[in-house]
Amino acid sequence: MDNALLEILACPACKGKLHYKKESQELICKACRLAYPVKDDIPVMLIEEARQMPADEEV
């Protein structure tokens, strides 16, 4: 994930900062506990496509 792109992206739900999790190819919003998939190096920034992270999963 390009750092310049990561700096300008924000969570569509809360406009919070996103963190890239390379192992799962996801952009994580710690505030919303949503994980947005990254497919072929392209972030899918749709709330409907985001995965709700369980309470016991580390963010």
Side-chain angles (χ1 to χ4, degrees), residues 38-58:
V38 177
K39 298 179 182 175
D40 299 321
D41 289 330
I42 301 170
V44 180
M45 303 304 295
L46 300 171
I47 296 172
E48 302 82 30
E49 295 290 321
R51 175 177 68 85
Q52 183 68 53
M53 299 176 71
D56 63 342
E57 186 175 351
E58 185 178 328

Side-chain angles (χ1 to χ4, degrees), residues 12-46:
C14 74
K15 311 300 185 238
K17 186 172 176 71
L18 295 170
H19 304 274
Y20 182 56
K21 191 172 180 184
K22 188 174 185 174
E23 309 83 48
S24 60
Q25 292 288 297
E26 293 176 318
L27 290 172
I28 309 295
C29 176
K30 292 182 178 183
C32 294
R33 298 194 60 83
L34 291 174
Y36 296 92
V38 177
K39 298 179 182 175
D40 299 321
D41 289 330
I42 301 170
V44 180
M45 303 304 295
L46 300 171

